């Protein structure tokens, strides 16, 4: 079974759900919520990669195209989820007055 993330409607729905979960994490100031989305997207990219490797020689060309496009979309979703997680983690660290591991994206957060 292929979870088709290359379909534009699916991408819009997944992106909307991701933005809503990051917003929920921001409002509750809990970085666990965007962290879950990040792990789901990492599992998706792993699943699509395994399917691509195992089906590449035997599958129809349109299935290979769908899988390769889904892998590319998954990379973008992982990047969005990771940035959302870092943002909410920074907010949570400020609220709890703890130190985050790395402030390497401080320049980015100041412009947001």
């Amino acid at each position: 079974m292929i979870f088709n993330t290359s379909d534009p409607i699916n991408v819009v729905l997944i992106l909307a759900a991701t933005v809503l979960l990051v917003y929920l994490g921001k409002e509750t100031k809990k970085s666990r919520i965007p962290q879950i989305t990040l792990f789901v997207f990492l599992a998706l990219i792993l699943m699509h990669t395994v399917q691509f490797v195992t089906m590449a020689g035997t599958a129809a060309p349109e299935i290979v195209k769908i899988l390769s496009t889904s892998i590319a979309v998954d990379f973008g979703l992982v990047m969005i989820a990771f940035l959302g997680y870092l943002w909410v983690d920074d907010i949570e660290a400020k609220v709890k007055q703890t130190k985050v591991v790395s402030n390497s994206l401080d320049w980015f957060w100041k412009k947001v």
Side-chain angles (χ1 to χ4, degrees):
M1 182 177 134
I2 298 173
F3 186 72
N4 188 2
T5 56
S6 65
D7 184 32
I9 294 171
N10 288 344
V11 172
V12 169
L13 291 174
I14 292 170
L15 192 59
T18 303
V19 168
L20 287 174
L21 286 171
V22 168
Y23 180 74
L24 179 65
K26 177 187 163 287
E27 290 299 313
T28 60
K29 295 173 182 48
K30 296 194 185 296
S31 63
R32 296 268 184 213
I33 298 170
Q35 186 180 30
I36 292 169
T37 61
L38 180 62
F39 285 131
V40 167
F41 292 147
L42 287 173
L44 261 178
I45 198 168
L46 181 67
M47 180 184 72
H48 284 143
T49 304
V50 168
Q51 286 178 343
F52 182 78
V53 169
T54 58
M55 291 184 179
T58 60
E62 54 270 353
I63 291 182
V64 173
K65 183 177 186 279
I66 287 171
L67 283 173
S68 60
T69 307
S70 292
I71 291 170
V73 169
D74 291 343
F75 273 115
L77 292 172
V78 165
M79 183 192 73
I80 291 168
F82 185 65
L83 288 175
Y85 166 71
L86 287 177
W87 182 46
V88 174
D89 187 53
D90 187 50
I91 292 170
E92 181 182 13
K94 287 178 183 174
V95 167
K96 291 183 178 179
Q97 296 177 347
T98 59
K99 185 177 179 187
V100 292
V101 176
S102 171
N103 283 336
S104 59
L105 289 176
D106 250 357
W107 60 271
F108 182 73
W109 305 132
K110 288 179 183 176
K111 293 182 181 182
V112 173

